[in-house]
Amino acid sequence: MGSSESKAADSKANRIARWRSTGIVALREAKLNTFPDEVLDLDKCVRTLDLTQNKLVEIPMEISKLVNMQRLILASNHIEQLPSTMGNLQSLKAMILDGNRITSLPDELGELVKLEKLSISGNKLMSLPNTIGSLRDLSLLNVSNNKLKYLPESIGICSALEELQANDNLIEELPASVCNLVQLKSLSLNNNKVNQIPPNILKDCKALQNFSLHDNPISMSQFQQMDGFEEFEARRKKKFDKQLDSNVMIGSKGLDAGVDL
């Protein structure tokens, strides 16, 4: 083995040893076309895996070996689908899949019962699986910039959900079950086709402080006449501490009911 080959082997061995000891595998912008086998060989050692900004198209079924992984970051790749074996990653708390080509999520997503953050913006999703309702620890869901026409009724049993971002989709209305999200603080639906929202949402979602609806057909008068509007407005004012005007504003972009400026 030549000196350059020897150095390369040593470097790779050192890198794998570091991954094994820290549990953190960071391979951002590493020009990867395929999922690295050496990562799969680490199995239970991996806690965080970051493969952002590569050219991955497929995630192997064997990813299920990484049973202790808590953070999976696969943003800005060319991934088209996720394997059903993802459901075995039951230690997973955060999964970031923004900027891929994913058209659907497997039903096994609902098996990720410790998941707290799911971000899958900038993909090609046309629907979300009903099993998403099994994610009782989920606090943040970002599905912006997809092709969603609706959100599943089961989203109403994601009881820990605090922030829901679904901007830039094709959503026309929200399921009535959204009213069950008593922890929900922020709901963003900019640039959709929303023409009506559940009449009790402001009354029942007692933690809601931010409701953003730029570029939707829904009218200001519809929103102001809803039960619980005054209480929502009080919460919004309290949160922003006089940073916004005392009224819900509507401008050239459409309805905006409490957005950070």
Side-chain angles (χ1 to χ4, degrees):
M1 182 181 291
S3 60
S4 61
E5 291 177 341
S6 178
K7 286 180 181 178
D10 287 344
S11 175
K12 183 174 181 180
N14 290 338
R15 185 172 64 175
I16 291 173
R18 185 174 67 251
W19 292 343
R20 194 177 291 278
S21 64
T22 64
I24 300 171
V25 179
L27 287 168
R28 284 180 169 234
E29 299 182 59
K31 300 180 180 179
L32 298 174
N33 292 308
T34 58
F35 201 96
D37 289 337
E38 59 266 32
V39 172
L40 298 175
D41 293 338
L42 293 169
D43 51 58
K44 295 181 180 180
C45 295
V46 179
R47 299 289 190 280
T48 294
L49 175 58
D50 186 351
L51 299 175
T52 299
Q53 199 96 31
N54 282 288
K55 296 180 180 179
L56 302 178
V57 175
E58 293 183 351
I59 303 302
M61 300 283 279
E62 292 79 13
I63 197 172
S64 60
K65 295 165 65 176
L66 309 181
V67 293
N68 290 326
M69 184 164 55
Q70 296 181 11
R71 298 178 73 240
L72 176 60
I73 308 166
L74 298 171
S76 301
N77 278 279
H78 301 157
I79 299 164
E80 297 179 358
Q81 62 180 7
L82 300 178
S84 59
T85 54
M86 293 283 287
N88 293 338
L89 303 177
Q90 299 205 354
S91 297
L92 208 57
K93 292 184 178 181
M95 184 160 61
I96 314 299
L97 301 164
D98 305 319
N100 279 284
R101 301 171 182 176
I102 300 168
T103 56
S104 64
L105 294 172
D107 287 341
E108 289 79 7
L109 176 74
E111 297 172 17
L112 304 178
V113 294
K114 292 184 180 179
L115 199 63
E116 298 173 3
K117 178 179 181 180
L118 175 59
S119 189
I120 188 166
S121 66
N123 279 273
K124 298 181 178 182
L125 292 175
M126 299 187 72
S127 64
L128 297 174
N130 288 326
T131 54
I132 200 167
S134 300
L135 305 181
R136 303 299 170 85
D137 288 348
L138 192 68
S139 62
L140 184 148
L141 176 61
N142 183 359
V143 293
S144 294
N145 195 14
N146 278 283
K147 298 180 179 181
L148 299 172
K149 294 184 178 179
Y150 64 93
L151 298 174
E153 193 75 29
S154 61
I155 203 163
I157 47 178
C158 294
S159 53
L161 198 61
E162 295 183 4
E163 182 174 355
L164 173 54
Q165 299 178 22
N167 303 310
D168 301 299
N169 280 285
L170 303 169
I171 298 168
E172 295 184 4
E173 59 182 353
L174 294 176
S177 65
V178 169
C179 296
N180 298 327
L181 299 174
V182 295
Q183 305 292 331
L184 191 65
K185 295 178 181 178
S186 179
L187 177 56
S188 295
L189 291 161
N190 296 326
N191 194 25
N192 277 279
K193 297 184 176 183
V194 178
N195 52 46
Q196 61 179 10
I197 51 180
N200 292 330
I201 191 168
L202 298 182
K203 180 180 177 182
D204 293 344
C205 294
K206 296 185 185 299
L208 193 62
Q209 299 170 332
N210 176 63
F211 199 160
S212 190
L213 283 162
H214 284 308
D215 297 322
N216 281 281
I218 190 169
S219 71
M220 181 65 169
S221 59
Q222 281 178 271
F223 194 80
Q224 287 181 319
Q225 291 168 15
M226 293 175 65
D227 284 346
F229 175 78
E230 291 182 2
E231 292 83 356
F232 163 75
E233 182 72 343
R235 291 192 300 270
R236 184 184 70 83
K237 287 179 187 176
K238 183 177 179 180
K239 180 189 175 188
F240 293 106
D241 192 28
K242 300 180 181 179
Q243 292 181 37
L244 296 178
D245 189 86
S246 60
N247 296 315
V248 173
M249 298 179 296
I250 187 164
S252 60
K253 289 186 176 181
L255 184 66
D256 177 354
V259 178
D260 278 308
L261 297 180

